[in-house]
């Protein structure tokens, strides 16, 4: 499983939209960021370090920069020394402001990357927070196939050999899009959202027994794949068992749920046997889930109609006597 976190070097190299300019040397670029929160150390720069969040990225905006510029030289050096007594992963000046010389010198001496960016503070915090939220989100791996069906991120699960990849291949041929095959990396981006993706090594590839490894993007075009997708439905494919056939869902009034990383996801179990067109059933399940999201539950509507019909029939059969 990938280790949660992101290095300072990754932020600098892979996110040009942050417009980061490295002021110090490359020492410390391997520092690992393990906290998705950022810190504006305004209070700490006044000398109060009791609650200094030094494990976060330090953002110095216009206010912090102007305050440091207002200090006398001896006071600036004093604050600088105290500030750099803590372990810091990196420091970023916004609005294109030039870092104070004592800050640059101490950052170099301590091996702490110091950057500046032309982006305004609020906008920069928004951008980097999105990056950190994705990189540091709780994650897990699940065996299965994640495919987008009619816009619904559908995770196909089941034991090896039950036909998950074959079902997904038929769905792709019908115009749906592959996200991940075999191993699905799942991240929780909030209290109610799960994002599924694939590793760089396996991305866009699928294994079909008898054919081997296929590159779906090359076979079906760029429109047949996605890099990540919100997981909104789990479908477990299970071999049909005659002795338990009566236990399979027949009405669909109540929706089962499965919990992943503390998030509940709608769950359906589909029995598989010769003659059942599983891709069409998966498509129908995805469309039905989309209707449920819109507040329409076909099973409950039918149940209500049936109850109304039974009540009316009972009244007609047994009229109330005065």
């Amino acid at each position: 499983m990938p280790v949660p976190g992101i290095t300072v070097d990754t932020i600098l190299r892979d996110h040009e939209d942050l417009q980061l300019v490295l002021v110090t040397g490359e020492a410390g670029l391997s520092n690992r960021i393990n906290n998705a929160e950022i810190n504006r150390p305004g209070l700490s720069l006044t000398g109060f370090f009791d609650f200094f969040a030094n494990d976060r990225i330090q953002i110095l905006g216009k206010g912090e920069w102007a305050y440091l510029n207002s200090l006398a030289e001896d006071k600036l050096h004093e604050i600088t020394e105290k500030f750099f007594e803590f372990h810091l992963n990196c420091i970023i000046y916004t609005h294109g402001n030039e870092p104070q010389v004592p800050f640059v010198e101490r950052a170099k001496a301590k091996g702490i990357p110091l950057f500046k960016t032309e982006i305004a503070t609020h906008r920069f915090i928004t951008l980097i927070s999105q990056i950190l939220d994705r990189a540091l989100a709780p994650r897990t791996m699940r065996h299965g196939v994640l495919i987008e069906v009619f816009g619904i991120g559908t995770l196909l699960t089941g034991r090896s050999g039950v036909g998950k990849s074959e079902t997904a291949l038929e769905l792709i041929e019908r115009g749906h899009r592959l996200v991940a095959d075999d191993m699905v990396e799942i991240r929780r981006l909030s209290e109610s959202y799960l994002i599924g993706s694939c590793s760089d090594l396996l991305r866009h590839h699928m294994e079909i027994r008898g054919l081997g490894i296929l590159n779906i993007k090359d076979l079906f075009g760029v429109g047949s794949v996605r890099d990540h997708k919100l997981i909104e439905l789990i479908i477990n494919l299970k071999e049909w068992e005659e002795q338990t056939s009566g236990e399979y869902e027949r009405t669909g009034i109540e929706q089962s749920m499965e919990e992943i990383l503390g998030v509940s996801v709608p769950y359906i179990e589909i029995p598989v046997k010769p003659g059942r067109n599983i891709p069409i059933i998966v498509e129908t399940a995805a469309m039905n889930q989309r209707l449920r999201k819109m507040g329409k539950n076909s099973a409950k509507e039918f149940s209500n109609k049936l109850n109304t019909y039974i009540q009316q029939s009972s009244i007609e059969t047994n009229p109330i006597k005065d």
Side-chain angles (χ1 to χ4, degrees):
M1 183 184 301
V3 178
I6 187 170
T7 63
V8 177
D9 180 58
T10 300
I11 294 178
L12 176 64
R13 184 183 66 252
D14 296 346
H15 300 282
E16 296 181 357
D17 55 323
L18 296 178
Q19 302 177 34
L20 291 172
V21 177
L22 183 61
V23 179
T24 56
E26 296 186 357
L29 289 180
S30 61
N31 289 351
R32 198 165 191 87
I33 301 166
N34 294 306
N35 194 324
E37 302 293 330
I38 62 93
N39 184 52
R40 295 192 63 179
L43 187 58
S44 300
L45 294 178
T46 66
F48 186 78
F49 288 93
D50 287 7
F51 299 98
F52 181 35
N54 62 291
D55 61 329
R56 306 176 185 179
I57 293 178
Q58 305 299 315
I59 305 292
L60 278 71
K62 273 186 177 181
E64 292 85 356
W65 178 79
Y67 172 75
L68 291 174
N69 280 345
S70 71
L71 297 177
E73 187 174 349
D74 58 340
K75 184 62 175 179
L76 176 59
H77 279 83
E78 178 187 341
I79 291 297
T80 301
E81 289 298 323
K82 289 183 179 179
F83 189 77
F84 282 94
E85 286 178 359
F86 295 85
H87 174 74
L88 306 170
N89 47 46
C90 72
I91 304 168
I92 302 171
Y93 279 70
T94 58
H95 292 279
N97 293 322
E98 290 293 334
Q100 288 75 19
V101 174
F103 259 61
V104 176
E105 292 176 347
R106 291 303 294 152
K108 287 182 178 179
K110 299 277 287 188
I112 299 170
L114 189 151
F115 302 91
K116 67 176 181 179
T117 177
E118 296 292 333
I119 303 175
T121 306
H122 178 74
R123 175 60 178 162
F124 183 83
I125 289 175
T126 300
L127 291 173
I128 201 165
S129 294
Q130 293 173 350
I131 294 169
L132 295 177
D133 284 343
R134 296 186 72 87
L136 302 176
R139 65 187 64 194
T140 186
M141 302 292 288
R142 290 291 297 268
H143 176 67
V145 182
L146 180 58
I147 189 164
E148 181 190 64
V149 183
F150 295 125
I152 299 294
T154 305
L155 178 62
L156 303 180
T157 63
R159 72 167 186 80
S160 180
V162 76
K164 299 183 297 295
S165 294
E166 290 80 359
T167 298
L169 186 62
E170 172 67 17
L171 290 168
I172 293 167
E173 197 275 334
R174 296 166 71 93
H176 307 293
R177 298 198 283 181
L178 173 72
V179 181
D181 178 57
D182 191 35
M183 294 304 296
V184 182
E185 180 182 332
I186 302 174
R187 291 175 291 174
R188 189 189 73 200
L189 295 188
S190 73
E191 296 304 315
S192 56
Y193 292 103
L194 297 174
I195 292 289
S197 61
C198 189
S199 68
D200 292 337
L201 179 63
L202 299 177
R203 182 167 291 129
H204 305 158
H205 288 81
M206 174 180 284
E207 178 194 357
I208 300 295
R209 285 175 173 80
L211 292 180
I213 305 297
L214 305 177
N215 188 312
I216 299 302
K217 182 179 177 181
D218 290 346
L219 281 172
F220 296 95
V222 68
S224 65
V225 295
R226 285 196 60 152
D227 288 339
H228 52 81
K229 180 63 182 175
L230 182 69
I231 298 177
E232 300 174 86
L233 179 64
I234 299 173
I235 296 180
N236 184 52
L237 303 182
K238 186 176 181 180
E239 290 185 347
W240 185 287
E241 298 178 6
E242 291 295 339
Q243 62 271 28
T244 60
S245 61
E247 299 177 5
Y248 295 128
E249 182 62 54
R250 299 294 299 272
T251 63
I253 295 176
E254 298 299 328
Q255 188 166 50
S256 299
M257 308 294 284
E258 180 173 335
E259 189 172 286
I260 301 177
L261 295 173
V263 178
S264 295
V265 183
Y267 171 88
I268 298 173
E269 188 168 279
I270 296 180
V272 177
K273 72 174 183 177
R276 301 202 85 199
N277 192 325
I278 303 303
I280 286 182
I281 296 176
V282 171
E283 283 185 328
T284 305
M287 288 189 289
N288 193 49
Q289 180 59 29
R290 191 164 61 179
L291 282 176
R292 284 175 179 264
K293 288 176 59 180
M294 298 168 62
K296 189 175 181 63
N297 190 319
S298 301
K300 285 187 176 180
E301 289 180 359
F302 176 77
S303 178
N304 292 336
K305 288 181 180 179
L306 181 61
N307 289 333
T308 300
Y309 174 80
I310 292 174
Q311 291 174 0
Q312 291 177 345
S313 298
S314 177
I315 293 173
E316 292 175 358
T317 304
N318 302 295
I320 300 176
K321 298 181 180 179
D322 294 332

